[in-house]
Amino acid sequence: MVGVVYENLDLKRERSRCSFDKEEITNLIDGGKEKTQERRDLEEFIVSDEDLKDSIPIEYLSHADKYSAELRKACLLFKKLSDPSNGPKDVSTVALLSTGAGAIALKEGNPLALHYIMFLPTLMSMCTPEQQEKWLPKATSLQMIGTYAQTEMGHGTFLRGLETIATYDPATKEFILETPSLTAYKWWPGGLGQTTNYAIVMAQLFTRGKCEGIHPFLVQLRDEETHEPLPGISVGEIGPKLGFNTVNNGYLGFEKVRIPRDHLLMKHSQVLEDGTYVKPASTKLGYGAMVFVRVLVIRDVAVQLRKAVTIATRYSCVRHQSELKPGDPEPQILDYVAQQNKLFPPLAATFGFHFAANYVWDLYNTARDGIGKGDLHLMPDLHGLSCALKALSSSEASNFVEVLRQSCGGHGYMVCSNFPRIYSLVTAAETYEGENTVLWLQVAKYLIKTRMDKSGGQSVAYLIDPNLMSNKIADLSIDSITNLFKRVAAGHVDLAMKELEGYSRRGMASHDAWNHSSIHLIKAAQAHARYFVADCFARSIKEGKFSAPVRSILNQLCELLLIYWLVERSGDFFMFAELNAQQLTELQSKYMELLGTIRTYAVNLVDAFDIRDEALGSVLGCWDGNAYQRLFDEASKSPLNKSTVHRESFEKYLKPLMKSNL
Amino acid sequence: MVGVVYENLDLKRERSRCSFDKEEITNLIDGGKEKTQERRDLEEFIVSDEDLKDSIPIEYLSHADKYSAELRKACLLFKKLSDPSNGPKDVSTVALLSTGAGAIALKEGNPLALHYIMFLPTLMSMCTPEQQEKWLPKATSLQMIGTYAQTEMGHGTFLRGLETIATYDPATKEFILETPSLTAYKWWPGGLGQTTNYAIVMAQLFTRGKCEGIHPFLVQLRDEETHEPLPGISVGEIGPKLGFNTVNNGYLGFEKVRIPRDHLLMKHSQVLEDGTYVKPASTKLGYGAMVFVRVLVIRDVAVQLRKAVTIATRYSCVRHQSELKPGDPEPQILDYVAQQNKLFPPLAATFGFHFAANYVWDLYNTARDGIGKGDLHLMPDLHGLSCALKALSSSEASNFVEVLRQSCGGHGYMVCSNFPRIYSLVTAAETYEGENTVLWLQVAKYLIKTRMDKSGGQSVAYLIDPNLMSNKIADLSIDSITNLFKRVAAGHVDLAMKELEGYSRRGMASHDAWNHSSIHLIKAAQAHARYFVADCFARSIKEGKFSAPVRSILNQLCELLLIYWLVERSGDFFMFAELNAQQLTELQSKYMELLGTIRTYAVNLVDAFDIRDEALGSVLGCWDGNAYQRLFDEASKSPLNKSTVHRESFEKYLKPLMKSNL
């Protein structure tokens, strides 16, 4: 860098005593040196493009103007990237969207995102070769811009309840799409409002008077020239939300809309011309996409949490407040133990979720290869783990983000801190792609089944290990603590099973017993997920290749996270893992020690996340630590501050009131 | 009511079997029959005024237009209410603001609120009679519109750190106000941006070369005619926030701004013409206002939580989803135990916080009367309780609101559910009027002092009761459980004290020991606050006058909340209160029973909160249960939906992309 670059002195001091190779951590997170370089190139490509910048921060705009502003950049971005002479090659489109580099240009969601994340992949996985030949060229060249319309106003996670109907008419060889009620309106699909002209619509397929269940149909929504909705199509956007306000989520209703027979995506199921329904070879074949998105969510959540941790840690280094030692200058708030207790558990959790996400990612790829060869044996474990980790990572990260926001006091409440936006994105993941409570109960079903049938995948094998409860607590090493998590998980599963059996013995029907046991079942699933992350974190450190300093840091973070989780729910460990009060006290002392150690490198560690200021999007967390100046500069962008008096409102409202001599 | 009024059948069924007098609960919450009538009159006055309605929901507007729209209504509202021929008499202005009836017209905060909540009260409590005579008429007639400027960019809760300087110049008999650094800018005061022309400014008073600490000054900011900022005044708004976006929070800087000597509010401290500083009789006299606002916060938080519970409970009654019994129609989600577990603890907590808020309110009034007579002995307890309850109620309510939002699935994420707004208002209370962690540590200081000095107010007397630990658990009655909470609180205080002593023994300075013990100190303060609410809840039921059905309901809610809190942190009860596994299991069974019982009257209970639709502001929680239709109608208000094609963005961005033949 040329010229004098400001750097806050507190940050400079921390950086001058870095004891590890930051690049090693960066590469670990990106997945290798090459991936780091690719990411940096892509970010640079986007950041250096003046056309992708906002003239005014979007939070000042009206709802409609926000949409226009972001659509402009979305169109530009995809156009530029489609030209191979423009910037980096071999860019996975997914990396561009949501939390990836694309978030630098589009902070609150991309109205074209679903086209790439759901529409194209579904065409690729659910179409016959003939269908692909017909549609893929139009879809990749963006003549067709599509979304994926599944959720309805009245039905989300419970797919069987979807009401939209597609009835086959053999006379015309068409399907007739119908929205039979208000609750059957499609509701939520991204881009559906004003952006897309096509959609994959999930509907109940009726043929020969029989319902064959939910199937995907390609439906044209708008004229390709005029963009006007086609006859019978009612479409619009659903209005403002907690976040994602530029995704253009929409609604969609059908009144006797006819589409050709071959607009049913027919790779797996078919309807013949005469209306004969041909079943798919396996009902699980269409399941891959949902798992894939859930695995992406786990990764995205970790990205968002790293941002929040970076902002709060740097700001805590820069911010001085109150007094520790009477008479001394105000200390950095990073030196308050209560502050460290807010910052470092989430810092540690970013690594725990990183390793867990990697594990599921690998499992997903292995399972997909197997499915290609007809081998489905990894599916239960993949389903169970993707549900458990999606639910755990999204809920933990949401809580952590809010603690981190509050650790920055009032300034964290400002949009320009970027905490409000990060929270809105992370907490959404608690609901979309399978509502968390529903997912926990699915995980519980897998756990109970494993325990009862004495069978199940690798992630649940511990539940049927005869030696499960025999290991005594030898010491308070990471291995021993992990073992405690295992016993707690198993204990919860047993307790839930006993409860189920108790209700059954008293004559309750099994579905009622399940409902009445659901609180314990959910706790069992959560304990299982925590054990998995704890174990995966510990194992990944053991099995990975790291320099000595980085290995030591990872071990400290792992230990901190495990103790933090344990202390937060010590009752479970007393109940199920024979923990005693003395051991708890020892663990708490260890925890205090770890906070002190991590304090020495926390700033360097978040630097190693390598999130550039444009991606961080926070005046409080900027690399140079010039938080107050940036906070002030950001306020000066407010249109209300463009003149010394806001004439319009003063003349119209305030002045008459002041002069009214009340 | 005339004509056919829609009422959802599920709600109707619940309402047809109400077993208690709803009005009794309504009066309980309002504080008596008359208060209920007053509130209803005021609400009706506001609701029936067509001028106070929005032509378009403010969430669609730009930041600047939101401000104008809300300022219009704020001016109108206060103008109308100042005319005694207009609507209800004797309206406490505070009831109009924030969460009161005023929130019907101004959902995201009132730019004139601080004038009434802080500016006027401070003038009344801190001015001499001469000052009051001069300023109050102008302030009540709104020629002066003021705010209260204390927080600075660099300093919030730690008042001694404030940097703004007021130096007395005996030559001209003026104070010179100065903002010595960027971090000294006032930051956050409501209405300060473009609205107010005066402010009470808290600044370090320097006279005769000596700093006498923080004092309040009345400072004119803008010309009373033109509204232009006066020379040396730099003022503007701070930009968008998570919520409160129409409060017009502002910043303020001074460059050698001179104000007359008698603009120091001199009721307690004075500066004589020659610069002599005259000390106040007691440093605690100015403290009342801060406590008052904290007490208001506890009440406001309960109001917001009642809104969130009402929305989620009604929607859970109306929403049908998934299946319980295979083959049966989709059940109301209110019948899922996992859903009840999300709804009923917050429902119970609204009553717990209600009774606790009443207690502190009464204590505040008693203490204020005492202070008037020079009796300060209630101050420590009032300070301790207002801090503890503000921190507990705001943090618990924030967590509950988010659980309630998520219990409504994706629709809870929409602004028109009103959950995003309710959350933004409640979570703000975790930070303003004393950041919660800071408050917890102040409470802890009071607890430790009590334990060490064997003295303290009524709320902490249990800590020095020699019989504290002698009662064995006789049964699992509410009294016994309350007793467990007491032992846990005392146990935490002891543990924190032991830790402090341990650090001191090992030679640590006392401030370092305090810092290193802060995690346990905070836990002690939280356990104390929970015990207080538990005890106050139980006692208020015993001592209050209720019909048998209402008493029974209150007892069930109290028991539910206590067991819920206990189970959530069972480890503490194992550690400190000799709880055993068998008892925990019994409590969990009792909890399940209570969920079932409360299920039978939950809908009627939230009806009894008597929050009219206009105050609830939620399409999901409306009285008639017509949630889906209202959701759809609300979306139709989006300007993006006004035409079938959003021409501007389509022609400019989308069409060129689609035609570009990528």
Side-chain angles (χ1 to χ4, degrees), chain A residues 228 237 402 423 437 638 644, chain B residues 228 237 342 402 423 638 644:
Chain A
E228 287 291 344
E237 72 117 7
E402 283 304 83
Y423 180 65
T437 300
S638 171
T644 49
Chain B
E228 288 291 346
E237 71 117 7
K342 293 177 189 177
E402 283 303 82
Y423 180 65
S638 171
T644 49

Side-chain angles (χ1 to χ4, degrees), chain A residues 489-541:
Chain A
H492 269 300
V493 173
D494 269 1
L495 187 69
M497 204 160 71
K498 261 189 219 148
E499 199 180 10
L500 277 170
E501 287 166 358
Y503 284 123
S504 298
R505 251 199 325 276
R506 278 175 275 160
M508 205 182 260
S510 67
H511 61 272
D512 278 336
W514 184 264
N515 186 23
H516 276 77
S517 306
S518 57
I519 296 174
H520 283 144
L521 287 164
I522 290 167
K523 282 191 182 166
Q526 291 171 337
H528 163 73
R530 263 180 231 285
Y531 162 57
F532 179 83
V533 173
D535 184 54
C536 181
F537 197 169
R539 258 188 304 110
S540 302
I541 300 170

Side-chain angles (χ1 to χ4, degrees), chain B residues 236-251:
Chain B
E237 71 117 7
I238 62 171
K241 294 140 285 170
L242 177 57
F244 285 109
N245 275 305
T246 58
V247 167
N248 198 222
N249 301 89
Y251 66 81

Side-chain angles (χ1 to χ4, degrees), chain B residues 306-608:
Chain B
R306 279 197 292 272
K307 287 187 189 176
V309 170
T310 302
I311 299 165
T313 303
R314 287 197 185 139
Y315 182 66
S316 297
C317 180
V318 166
R319 173 90 169 171
H320 290 249
Q321 189 75 180
S322 198
E323 61 182 16
L324 263 174
K325 190 173 171 191
D328 271 10
E330 295 181 90
Q332 296 169 271
I333 58 174
L334 190 52
D335 285 329
Y336 288 99
V337 169
Q339 185 77 353
Q340 295 165 6
N341 187 43
K342 293 177 189 177
L343 302 177
F344 300 162
L347 175 63
T350 64
F351 287 92
F353 292 140
H354 170 79
F355 289 119
N358 276 359
Y359 180 95
V360 197
W361 183 254
D362 292 343
L363 183 66
Y364 169 75
N365 286 310
T366 314
R368 204 186 41 183
D369 293 349
I371 293 170
K373 298 168 199 146
D375 172 5
L376 298 173
H377 88 281
L378 289 176
M379 283 300 285
D381 232 34
L382 180 60
H383 175 67
L385 273 181
S386 63
C387 291
L389 293 176
K390 182 272 189 184
L392 183 71
S393 62
S394 61
S395 57
E396 286 273 316
S398 297
N399 293 337
F400 279 142
V401 168
E402 283 303 82
V403 170
L404 292 165
R405 169 176 68 77
Q406 289 175 45
S407 82
C408 297
H411 298 339
Y413 193 76
M414 299 205 56
V415 170
C416 62
S417 75
N418 209 17
F419 281 117
R421 188 169 281 143
I422 292 173
Y423 180 65
S424 76
L425 302 178
V426 172
T427 188
E430 299 189 81
T431 304
Y432 65 57
E433 297 304 325
E435 194 276 329
N436 279 0
T437 300
V438 177
L439 294 189
W440 287 129
L441 286 167
Q442 290 190 15
V443 174
K445 197 158 265 175
Y446 182 42
L447 300 178
I448 297 290
K449 191 172 150 40
T450 300
R451 197 82 165 127
M452 295 203 339
D453 300 355
K454 308 283 173 206
S455 74
Q458 205 186 331
S459 74
V460 291
Y462 70 97
L463 287 174
I464 45 179
D465 173 3
N467 300 320
L468 173 63
M469 304 303 274
S470 61
N471 331 23
K472 280 276 159 205
I473 311 172
D475 51 30
L476 294 173
S477 67
I478 290 182
D479 280 352
S480 292
I481 300 174
T482 308
N483 199 40
L484 299 181
F485 275 85
K486 177 158 74 177
R487 291 172 67 155
V488 166
H492 268 302
V493 173
D494 270 1
L495 187 69
M497 205 161 70
K498 260 188 220 150
E499 200 181 9
L500 277 171
E501 287 165 358
Y503 283 123
S504 296
R505 250 198 325 275
R506 277 176 276 160
M508 207 182 259
S510 66
H511 62 273
D512 278 335
W514 184 263
N515 186 24
H516 276 77
S517 306
S518 55
I519 296 174
H520 283 144
L521 288 164
I522 290 167
K523 283 191 181 167
Q526 291 170 337
H528 163 73
R530 264 180 231 284
Y531 161 58
F532 179 83
V533 174
D535 184 53
C536 181
F537 197 169
R539 259 187 305 111
S540 303
I541 300 171
K542 265 188 224 160
E543 294 166 8
K545 282 186 188 145
F546 306 106
S547 68
V550 165
R551 179 176 300 279
S552 153
I553 286 173
L554 291 175
N555 270 318
Q556 287 155 5
L557 293 171
C558 180
E559 204 170 1
L560 183 92
L561 181 65
L562 268 51
I563 300 178
Y564 174 81
W565 274 351
L566 182 153
V567 171
E568 285 287 296
R569 43 192 70 70
S570 60
D572 291 349
F573 290 79
F574 288 138
M575 280 277 278
F576 300 122
E578 298 178 50
L579 186 79
N580 61 45
Q582 173 59 28
Q583 290 164 330
L584 181 64
T585 306
E586 278 175 46
L587 287 170
Q588 284 169 321
S589 301
K590 181 78 199 167
Y591 183 82
M592 288 299 301
E593 250 176 63
L594 286 165
L595 288 183
T597 310
I598 295 169
R599 162 68 184 88
T600 64
Y601 56 71
V603 169
N604 289 306
L605 201 54
V606 302
D607 277 356

Side-chain angles (χ1 to χ4, degrees), chain B residues 605-658:
Chain B
L605 201 54
V606 302
D607 277 356
F609 290 163
D610 195 36
I611 307 171
R612 54 186 296 166
D613 286 351
E614 296 86 350
L616 202 57
S618 169
V619 300
L620 301 184
C622 43
W623 184 89
D624 65 8
N626 204 2
Y628 296 114
Q629 187 61 53
R630 285 170 188 266
L631 190 57
F632 198 83
D633 293 347
E634 199 63 26
S636 72
K637 297 179 186 164
S638 171
L640 282 171
N641 292 335
K642 290 300 170 204
S643 57
T644 49
V645 176
H646 191 242
R647 283 272 150 241
E648 181 200 332
S649 63
F650 175 67
E651 299 292 345
K652 259 165 107 174
Y653 310 126
L654 215 47
K655 195 171 176 183
L657 181 72
M658 291 162 76

Side-chain angles (χ1 to χ4, degrees), chain B residues 199-228:
Chain B
I200 305 235
V201 173
M202 299 301 282
Q204 303 285 0
L205 190 164
F206 281 83
T207 180
R208 295 188 165 179
K210 197 179 154 213
C211 179
E212 303 288 355
I214 288 295
H215 287 72
F217 299 85
L218 179 72
V219 185
Q220 182 174 0
L221 308 178
R222 292 173 177 271
D223 184 275
E224 288 185 14
E225 293 300 317
T226 64
H227 213 56
E228 288 291 346

